[in-house]
Amino acid sequence: MISVTSHNPTRRHTPPRDVTDPSTLVTVEKWVLDRRKTVGNKIPVVLMANKCDTVEEDEEVSTQLDSFCYNNGIARWFSSSAKDDVNVEEAFDFLADQLMKNENAKSSTT
């Protein structure tokens, strides 16, 4: 599980969300606001909906997370399990792809 303990603005841009605890969205929202103050929108953010191995898939939760990400400028969310290594690599591959796209777009405008 990636923790949000670093003050380095270029690290840990995947806020964790415990799908078994809806109150963690409040923490994620604060985390995103803090990161946006530090680095603006330069670095894409994905949301890790962790502990998917402990709950059944829920359409209502999926809709809530889609809406939350849209409203908070989060590029995408991933249902994940740090314990079982579900979607961890996929999330980082997505982030790397987004960073490369941002860098290529930046290079083409300069």
Side-chain angles (χ1 to χ4, degrees), residues 13-34:
H13 286 278
T14 55
R17 194 261 184 189
D18 180 345
V19 294
T20 65
D21 181 3
S23 70
T24 57
L25 278 181
V26 173
T27 304
V28 170
E29 188 171 29
K30 290 177 184 175
W31 184 91
V32 170
L33 288 171
D34 182 54

Side-chain angles (χ1 to χ4, degrees), residues 14-74:
T14 55
R17 194 261 184 189
D18 180 345
V19 294
T20 65
D21 181 3
S23 70
T24 57
L25 278 181
V26 173
T27 304
V28 170
E29 188 171 29
K30 290 177 184 175
W31 184 91
V32 170
L33 288 171
D34 182 54
R35 291 300 176 263
R36 295 292 186 222
K37 287 179 190 173
T38 306
V39 297
N41 292 323
K42 295 185 283 188
I43 298 176
V45 174
V46 299
L47 175 65
M48 303 300 290
N50 199 29
K51 297 189 180 180
C52 73
D53 56 317
T54 63
V55 296
E56 293 292 319
E57 208 171 304
D58 184 338
E59 187 63 36
E60 186 177 328
V61 171
S62 294
T63 301
Q64 178 189 24
L65 290 174
D66 287 342
S67 177
F68 180 83
C69 288
Y70 178 80
N71 291 331
N72 288 281
I74 297 173

